[in-house]
Amino acid sequence: MALKLYNSKTRTKQDFAPIDPARVRMYVCGPTVYDFAHIGNARPVVVFDTLYRLLRLNYGADHVIYARNITDVDDKINARAREENVPIADITARTTDQFHADMAALNALPPDVEPRATGHIAQMIAMIESLIARGHAYAADGHVLFHVPSMPDYGRLSGRNVKEMLAGARVEVAPYKRDEMDFVLWKPSDDQTPGWNSPWGYGRPGWHIECSAMSLAHLGETFDIHGGGIDLIFPHHENELAQSACANGPGTFAKFWMHNGYLMVDGKKMSKSEGNFRTVRQLLDKAPGEALRLQILSTHYRQPFDWTDAGTREVKTVLDHWYRLVDGVTADAADIPATVRAALEDDLNTPLAIAEMHRLAHAAGQGAPDAARQLRAGGEFLLGLFGMTADQWLHWQPPGKALDEAAIQARIDARIAARKAKNFKEADRIRDELVAQGIQLEDGPTGTLWKVLS
RNA sequence: GGUGACGUGGCGGAAUGGUUACGCAGCGGAUUGCAAAUCCGUCUAUCCCGGUUCGAUUCCGGGCGUCACCUCCA
């Protein structure tokens, strides 16, 4: 079955055919590194990681190139460095490390290239020069601005009507702008703010130009997929598209635009003032990263997602079950279940894919060995699950908390002895004692196993 | 004010012009010394009002409601 993807540009589901099957190119907007990644940052990473895995399967791992940037020059970073009174590089290095660790915990593969904005200043300057030369940008008052009326198609990607937007605009217009909609490509820096020398003086790039410059540098003028959150469609992606298409020529840039839906927490927009702000780091204290991953995938990527703790508990229960079924089972690519794969190939229908996984789990639970292999293959090769053993999974503890497994085993042995002596009162007492510590015992045919209650 | 998305059973969540997914929870059973785990069985749904149709949850119109964007945001 052919891969179909919803293209935000055309607002339809289309058959995906790469420009060059030997080099399938995907660019996803990565984080601005100034603080811990929140669960809203994790959604596009997990969604596009799932797509990345599927593309690698379809075209070969060596024929897919996935670029996800790190934006390490931004006024939010500058503000944070000032607050903490540390060098900017400290903030960006620390936050980048945290981001990598958190995304790895979610079983997200690292991208093939991870360009940094500060490493591409020269490319940004070159692109700005090209925009000026082509009449799409102008220098004014130390700034360089993109002239929006120079691009007739502006607003098409995000479905905005420029005139209507201006009618409802609440922003003050800077005096140096020729048009209210014009946006900054380059802006001046003072001594306290990071900057680089440029034809327009000492300064730093505007928000959108880094993605245009980096996608060009690593993927070329035209590439296959551009992804990110729907909140970025305006102004970020609209402006990226404007810059790139005007600098490189009409018709260049991404063939497919993909946007994941918004993320809410407990039914509301996540924000610090609402008290429902969740970092990935905080959530990894409640459940293993794979559970968070499956939770993210349990809603179709284009739908709004409502994050709840109850949802986390539910996927944890599901994975407890699946892990038991695939324990000791090995699978190879031949076991990849066609049903799960077909669901993913239909615009990444992960909820349907998970439903097909449940069907396999049902069959595996009845003792079908091929179903167990397919379940494992579906998790391992498609959804990015089963990265640990069943024991590791069932014994999982939040980072920093270590269980004394030897002590638990000693209690289990004592209980086995009591049971052999038919002293059930003592056996039950030991079991209750362990339950009070969050340890659940399971008497099976091969002996007594235990798991951590969640 | 402008724009967009969404409204499916207790909860999560797909699909579909007609045959009422799937999971979690609940309930009943098997199993177990009792549990847990596992297996079997099982109840509950398509926001409201019109229209098109032999038939709509699905298409069209209206209404109500929720969320978001238009300013930093994944």
Side-chain angles (χ1 to χ4, degrees), chain A residues 278-340:
Chain A
R278 302 286 153 79
T279 65
V280 174
R281 200 55 69 91
Q282 288 167 333
L283 294 168
L284 284 171
D285 231 30
K286 295 184 185 184
E290 272 185 30
L292 306 181
R293 180 184 179 94
L294 187 63
Q295 188 174 0
I296 288 169
L297 295 178
S298 68
T299 293
H300 183 82
Y301 77 93
R302 284 193 280 121
Q303 295 287 92
F305 191 107
D306 188 15
W307 189 274
T308 63
D309 289 341
T312 307
R313 285 191 292 274
E314 185 175 329
V315 289
K316 175 68 166 54
T317 302
V318 167
L319 281 168
D320 283 354
H321 189 197
W322 287 0
Y323 257 106
R324 288 186 163 98
L325 291 169
V326 301
D327 189 25
V329 174
T330 53
D332 56 45
D335 296 308
I336 291 172
T339 50
V340 179

Side-chain angles (χ1 to χ4, degrees), chain A residues 76 81 131 212:
Chain A
K76 287 194 291 289
L131 286 168
S212 287

